[in-house]
Amino acid sequence: MASADLSEELNCSICLSIYTAPVILRCGHNFCRACIAKVLDSQEQSGVYTCPECREQFKKRPGLQRNWKLHSIVEHVQQFKERPVPQRNMQLDSTAKHLQTSHLKPDQHGILCTYCIHSPVLAAKSCLMCEASLCDDHLRVHSKSDEHVLTAPTTSFNNRKCPVHNKFLEYYCSEDNTCICVSCSLAGEHRGHQVEMLTEASEKKKNKLRNVLETLTLKREQSEIKVQNLQKDRKSLDEKSADITERVTSMFKDMREQLEVLEKQVLSEISRQKEQALCPIADLIQNLKKEKDELTRKINHIEEVCSVTDPLTVLQEQEYDNFSDAETKNYEDTQTDIKTAPAGGDLDEDLISVTLHRRLADIVTGVKVKKGFHLQEAPDLFLNVNTAANYIELSSDLKTASYPIVEIQRPVSSERFEFWQVLSTRSFASGQHYWEVETCEAKDCIIGMSYSSIERKGKQSIIGKNSKSWCVQWCDPKTYHYRIATKYNKRFSAAHDSVEIPLKPIFSCQRFAIFLDYEAGRLSFYELGDPIRCLHTFTASFTEPLHAAFWVNPKWSL
């Protein structure tokens, strides 16, 4: 047994077998010649040679001297041992260790044992004192001294020692937030600072990190909730966008179809107006052709008479004896009037424009309402309360007027009408303008335009009864204000300067349009029925800004 115990002390710390040709280093540690030679060969590139046992450094490669005394002991033990000592099968051990690591990729080998020079073996621990990594076998024969601090396998030994004192980092300076050695704490630049053990400082930092982790985890959860909400919003936007896209596509499809129908209707209206205007022209052309033929006959007859040489025959011709010079001049003037007179009616471009405007507005509005894109557009005309008579009640938005039951007592003003009238606040002094008026129970009502200089009192102040206003009107002959407004028993008419033009009656339409072309001097009134009908067009050279003007008894609105 003593021989067996002694044999364990005679094992090389590198190959873990009994010494073979043992050699000794200057530090006093023994190794097999072959084992230590391989270790020194591996250290040759770094230029620093260390003892695998005590890590003593040598500037030059140490010489290997044979330890004869140890050699004799080894031989004696081998010669007189009681029973054979089982020899380690290095080849089999190397094969086994190779199989343990052969399944790993080169970049997955991790940290290898420093002393396993025959084959790579993963290290189990690293010794900070020895600055070496050890496998399980070498860890069993490693020094158990407290100075030899074992850690997880690592190759970073320098960052675990103080760069100033080359001692292990054992303390933490909370003032400078750095790890220090005992010399730094006692005599170095951290002397007198608040220090604590690495384990305590590490635990405090872990607690702090746990709080940070809790905060970050909460923020991550909140971020996940926000992401989920944003994803829901994105999905909702995608669905809404798809729905709007579908409706817009359908809307434009409907508009294209209705525009095609409108195009045919407008072109048909143009053709109708053309045919209507061409009829008198064709009749006039036909009459002029007949007259031309008659004139040709007479010219030929006269030429024949003039070519006759017999005086008696010429004098006996009496057809043109009564055709005097004055009659000739009168005849020529008549022909000139015929040539310069208008042959027939012109095309009503305003009617076409209003029809297009109204139908396009109907198409767009109808399609918008149908597809959910309706936008209510407010007119820009407002009623001027300073001009409103006391028998006119105005709405709060100044867009609706009605006939009140009781007279409203408004402040006396030079702008206020005596009769049931009101003007708009806005005036028009140039350009083309279009707006619509909606009436309720089209009765006792006047719509038109007027200069602001119109009279405010007396019969001459009524719209259409002076040279400063133009209108269309429908009134009940039995009403008092109608008898003031006109001496004619007409229900529906256009009026200017007390001259009334009867119009075709309106049956059910309660919407009307007014079109003003100030520079062209045209003011047209349209019935917005189906089809749109031009009620009347006034022509004048406007000299002042025009206001929209209204006479009301039943309620109406802009």
Side-chain angles (χ1 to χ4, degrees), residues 160-192:
R160 293 181 176 271
K161 288 186 177 182
C162 176
V164 179
H165 305 100
N166 198 28
K167 293 183 178 180
F168 293 118
L169 300 175
E170 301 178 273
Y171 301 96
Y172 179 78
C173 178
S174 57
E175 295 184 16
D176 297 329
N177 296 325
T178 184
C179 298
I180 60 176
C181 67
V182 64
S183 297
C184 293
S185 175
L186 297 177
E189 60 181 1
H190 299 277
R191 180 180 179 180

Side-chain angles (χ1 to χ4, degrees), residues 229-480:
N229 292 335
L230 289 175
Q231 289 176 345
K232 291 180 180 178
D233 293 341
R234 182 173 63 181
K235 182 179 179 181
S236 176
L237 286 175
D238 291 340
E239 293 175 353
K240 187 174 182 180
S241 175
D243 177 64
I244 294 176
T245 300
E246 182 180 357
R247 284 189 287 145
V248 168
T249 302
S250 177
M251 179 182 69
F252 278 98
K253 180 180 178 181
D254 291 347
M255 284 196 295
R256 283 192 292 268
E257 293 176 353
Q258 295 186 48
L259 285 173
E260 291 178 358
V261 174
L262 176 60
E263 179 184 10
K264 294 179 181 179
Q265 291 177 351
V266 173
L267 293 178
S268 175
E269 174 63 19
I270 294 173
S271 299
R272 186 193 66 77
Q273 291 189 21
K274 175 185 174 182
E275 293 298 329
Q276 183 179 357
L278 287 178
C279 286
I281 295 177
D283 295 340
L284 184 57
I285 291 175
Q286 185 67 25
N287 293 333
L288 289 176
K289 284 183 178 180
K290 293 179 179 179
E291 186 174 353
K292 177 184 175 182
D293 293 340
E294 179 63 20
L295 291 174
T296 301
R297 184 191 65 76
K298 291 181 179 180
I299 290 172
N300 293 334
H301 180 71
I302 292 174
E303 288 178 350
E304 291 178 358
V305 172
C306 292
S307 63
V308 174
T309 58
D310 183 11
L312 182 61
T313 302
V314 173
L315 294 175
Q316 290 178 346
E317 176 60 47
Q318 299 179 356
E319 183 176 356
Y320 301 101
D321 288 349
N322 297 326
F323 199 87
S324 63
D325 293 339
E327 291 174 335
T328 302
K329 185 177 184 305
N330 183 41
Y331 182 82
E332 292 175 354
D333 293 340
T334 302
Q335 297 304 312
T336 301
D337 293 340
I338 293 176
K339 293 178 181 179
T340 57
D346 195 2
L347 297 182
D348 190 349
E349 293 187 40
D350 292 342
L351 175 60
I352 296 172
S353 299
V354 172
T355 301
L356 282 173
H357 177 86
R358 182 62 185 175
R359 287 292 179 261
L360 289 174
D362 289 343
I363 290 174
V364 174
T365 302
V367 173
K368 283 183 177 180
V369 173
K370 181 180 178 181
K371 303 300 178 181
F373 293 99
H374 179 64
L375 178 63
Q376 184 66 35
E377 298 180 358
D380 55 357
L381 282 180
F382 299 92
L383 300 177
N384 189 348
V385 67
N386 294 328
T387 65
N390 291 334
Y391 284 98
I392 288 184
E393 182 178 0
L394 303 181
S395 62
S396 58
D397 61 359
L398 299 180
K399 293 184 179 180
T400 303
S402 60
Y403 188 83
I405 299 176
V406 180
E407 180 180 3
I408 301 173
Q409 297 299 324
R410 292 191 174 95
V412 178
S413 171
S414 59
E415 296 180 79
R416 195 172 310 285
F417 284 104
E418 179 184 11
F419 295 109
W420 303 261
Q421 298 182 163
V422 64
L423 298 181
S424 66
T425 56
R426 180 178 176 179
S427 63
F428 307 93
S430 63
Q432 296 180 344
H433 305 277
Y434 172 89
W435 65 95
E436 298 178 3
V437 178
E438 181 177 356
T439 66
C440 298
E441 301 175 359
K443 179 181 178 182
D444 295 324
C445 196
I446 299 176
I447 59 175
M449 300 204 73
S450 170
Y451 294 150
S452 60
S453 60
I454 188 176
E455 296 293 331
R456 307 298 178 172
K457 296 181 179 181
K459 297 180 180 181
Q460 66 275 11
S461 66
I462 299 174
I463 303 170
K465 299 298 292 180
N466 51 71
S467 61
K468 297 183 178 182
S469 59
W470 298 258
C471 71
V472 292
Q473 58 186 8
W474 49 103
C475 302
D476 191 334
K478 298 179 182 180
T479 60
Y480 170 76

Side-chain angles (χ1 to χ4, degrees), residues 74-92:
V74 170
E75 289 183 348
H76 177 75
V77 171
Q78 289 179 341
Q79 183 178 0
F80 294 100
K81 59 187 176 180
E82 295 182 0
R83 60 176 179 266
V85 178
Q87 297 292 322
R88 187 169 184 175
N89 191 332
M90 300 301 298
Q91 182 176 4
L92 182 60

Side-chain angles (χ1 to χ4, degrees), residues 13-14 25-27 29 31 35-44 46-62 64 114-115 129-132 161:
S13 61
I14 297 178
L25 299 181
R26 290 199 302 268
C27 60
H29 292 101
F31 305 94
C35 293
I36 190 61
K38 290 182 179 180
V39 172
L40 295 176
D41 290 341
S42 64
Q43 298 175 350
E44 187 172 357
S46 63
V48 179
Y49 302 92
T50 59
C51 171
E53 189 72 22
C54 66
R55 309 305 296 178
E56 182 177 345
Q57 296 184 355
F58 308 100
K59 295 182 180 180
K60 295 183 180 180
R61 179 167 179 152
L64 301 179
T114 305
Y115 303 118
M129 172 67 76
C130 301
E131 296 185 1
K161 288 186 177 182

